[in-house]
Amino acid sequence: MKRNLGVCIIGSGRAGMIHALNFRKNVPNANLVAMVDPNEKVAREATYSLGIDKYYLDYKEALKSDEIDAVVVVTPTVYHRDIVVAAAEAGKHVLCEKPMAMNEKECEEIIQATENNNVKLQIGFMRRFNESFIQAKEEIESGSIGDVVMVRSLTRGPSTPQPWMYDLKKSNGPLAEVNSHDIDTLRWFLGADFESVYAIAGNYRCPEAKEEYPDFYDNVVLNARFTNQKQGIIDGAVSVKYGYDSRVEILGTEGVIFIGQVHEKTVLTANKKGLSRPVMNSWRSLYKDAYLAEDIHFIESILEDKKPKVCGYDGKEAVKVVNAGNRSIKEGNVVLL
Ligand SMILES: NC(=O)c1ccc[n+]([C@@H]2O[C@H](COP(=O)([O-])OP(=O)(O)OC[C@H]3O[C@@H](n4cnc5c(N)ncnc54)[C@H](O)[C@@H]3O)[C@@H](O)[C@H]2O)c1
């Protein structure tokens, strides 16, 4: 009988540990074999907490291992291109976190390398695996709100960004790190690619970043027209403090669909001060099931030799929109894609 697929997580930070925990315990037909991180303390602590014994400081060493069939690339975005290309050349299947890479050329190099080496490439747009998003897509396809005219999607994160995210050259900013998901959501629900964008942005909450990173913005609004002439709006923010906020509104010719809420669960307390409800505080809990479903889908795509539901083209289109949005912010113009 064939052994389970061996999985290695490259990048043992916040998102890396979510995938690691899934593959350690909850993904059928897969075993978590090793973690990679150049920071030895991070790598060692990750493997210890996961109860596995192998870690590497250099991903190139991990890629030599025959025990590893597939990798999840969860490093800062600026390293995605080199790591994914090397993994593909070593014959490993790849689940690459969003944003796929820094620019369109890097995305094309990734797609070429995975095609040339006949390995799967899935991009980490896990919202497509969330129950409510799937149900909304089914509602759209059933025609229950007529023709979709406009999709508005917002994502706002509570915390100050990781230090590497302040540097737009390393991260492409919040449009990439936060709103890649919204970009993919608009494409998916509207069934078309972006044709033009106009974006405005500013830094209102992160004074500590102003001097060293004057281009950094913590609030952005992007308007878009699509190739099928439909409309989209993205609202993105970091460091909002009040909670993790992810909501979507899909407006049709005969109705509307809403996804998401600010509060977590249904508990509501009433007393003399008024009403209170716990706020949703993390993407980890909001999309917990979706991260697991995307990891399961990745392994199924390999074993059943199917194209993953979220592919390199989806990753590349999102990166194109990020770069067009950042150009629009800088130049103050509408940018055509
Ligand atoms: N899908 C999602 O919702 C989601 C959520 C968070 C982050 N992400 C993405 O995951 C990626 C990582 O983000 P994060 O928040 O986990 O960052 P992080 O800073 O918490 O972790 C990144 C880790 O990668 C390590 N690293 C750096 N260079 C490396 C290399 N060459 N090889 C191996 N490891 C290396 C760092 O030491 C660090 O431990 C980013 O692309 C980010 O956009 C996706």
Side-chain angles (χ1 to χ4, degrees):
M1 204 175 84
K2 190 181 177 328
R3 66 176 170 85
N4 283 350
L5 292 177
V7 176
C8 171
I9 311 292
I10 304 182
S12 309
R14 303 179 315 161
M17 288 306 284
I18 290 181
H19 292 288
L21 282 164
N22 288 341
F23 284 107
R24 179 76 180 108
K25 291 212 171 98
N26 297 319
V27 179
N29 305 311
N31 282 344
L32 179 66
V33 171
M35 300 295 291
V36 180
D37 206 289
N39 182 330
E40 182 154 19
K41 186 168 178 282
V42 170
R44 196 178 342 102
E45 286 177 1
T47 45
Y48 180 76
S49 73
L50 291 159
I52 61 170
D53 24 69
K54 203 165 282 174
Y55 67 79
Y56 298 90
L57 302 181
D58 183 346
Y59 70 88
K60 291 185 190 127
E61 289 305 312
L63 294 178
K64 290 180 190 160
S65 167
D66 291 336
E67 273 186 284
I68 295 167
D69 303 289
V71 297
V72 186
V73 178
V74 211
T75 65
T77 312
V78 72
Y79 307 119
H80 287 187
R81 183 256 169 224
D82 285 358
I83 298 175
V84 179
V85 168
E89 286 171 353
K92 316 294 184 196
H93 302 282
V94 182
L95 168 54
C96 176
E97 259 305 345
K98 55 48 65 175
M100 181 173 173
M102 295 301 290
N103 54 49
E104 195 179 344
K105 181 171 168 284
E106 287 187 357
C107 294
E108 272 160 10
E109 287 165 0
I110 287 176
I111 292 170
Q112 266 312 309
T114 51
E115 284 178 3
N116 291 348
N117 292 284
N118 201 21
V119 294
K120 303 291 175 205
L121 171 65
Q122 182 174 325
I123 306 299
F125 289 130
M126 79 296 165
R127 291 185 188 179
R128 292 202 196 194
F129 296 89
N130 171 269
E131 245 184 13
S132 302
F133 280 70
I134 292 171
Q135 201 181 330
K137 179 74 175 168
E138 286 167 2
E139 290 280 346
I140 291 169
E141 283 172 352
S142 75
S144 70
I145 59 161
D147 288 333
V148 176
V149 173
M150 188 277 298
V151 181
R152 177 201 299 264
S153 184
L154 73 80
T155 305
R156 302 179 192 147
S159 46
T160 41
Q162 300 286 78
W164 58 267
M165 292 182 193
Y166 280 140
D167 186 348
L168 261 57
K169 287 190 205 71
K170 285 198 184 139
S171 72
N172 274 338
L175 265 183
E177 284 305 319
V178 177
N179 300 115
S180 282
H181 290 297
D182 304 282
I183 294 170
D184 185 63
T185 294
L186 263 58
R187 287 188 59 246
W188 196 43
F189 287 155
L190 286 165
D193 283 327
F194 283 68
E195 187 179 83
S196 65
V197 298
Y198 175 67
I200 53 172
N203 179 354
Y204 304 92
R205 287 173 297 263
C206 298
E208 71 283 1
K210 277 197 168 147
E211 202 173 314
E212 200 174 347
Y213 303 107
D215 293 345
F216 176 76
Y217 53 90
D218 61 13
N219 217 88
V220 57
V221 179
L222 179 143
N223 283 300
R225 183 178 284 281
F226 283 74
T227 50
N228 58 3
Q229 301 310 298
K230 305 293 174 60
Q231 304 170 2
I233 302 172
I234 289 173
D235 156 346
V238 294
S239 203
V240 294
K241 313 217 169 53
Y242 67 84
Y244 183 76
D245 195 358
S246 163
R247 287 175 279 145
V248 181
E249 193 176 324
I250 305 159
L251 181 63
T253 50
E254 291 168 39
V256 65
I257 299 169
F258 300 96
I259 308 172
Q261 58 194 17
V262 182
H263 50 274
E264 189 176 18
K265 305 197 177 107
T266 55
V267 64
L268 175 68
T269 305
N271 58 22
K272 62 184 175 195
K273 291 186 207 143
L275 296 176
S276 72
R277 280 188 124 155
V279 167
M280 174 61 65
N281 60 24
S282 170
W283 43 274
R284 292 172 183 84
S285 36
L286 178 58
Y287 289 116
K288 190 169 186 272
D289 295 347
Y291 290 111
L292 177 58
E294 86 172 337
D295 289 337
I296 292 173
H297 178 74
F298 177 51
I299 296 301
E300 282 173 357
S301 302
I302 299 168
L303 292 175
E304 295 167 25
D305 194 16
K306 290 187 307 200
K307 186 170 176 166
K309 276 188 198 162
V310 194
C311 65
Y313 181 78
D314 298 312
K316 182 175 85 169
E317 287 303 298
V319 170
K320 276 167 64 179
V321 176
V322 165
N323 286 313
N326 280 336
R327 219 180 101 201
S328 176
I329 292 167
K330 209 167 165 191
E331 296 174 0
N333 294 324
V334 173
V335 172
L336 301 179
L337 277 100

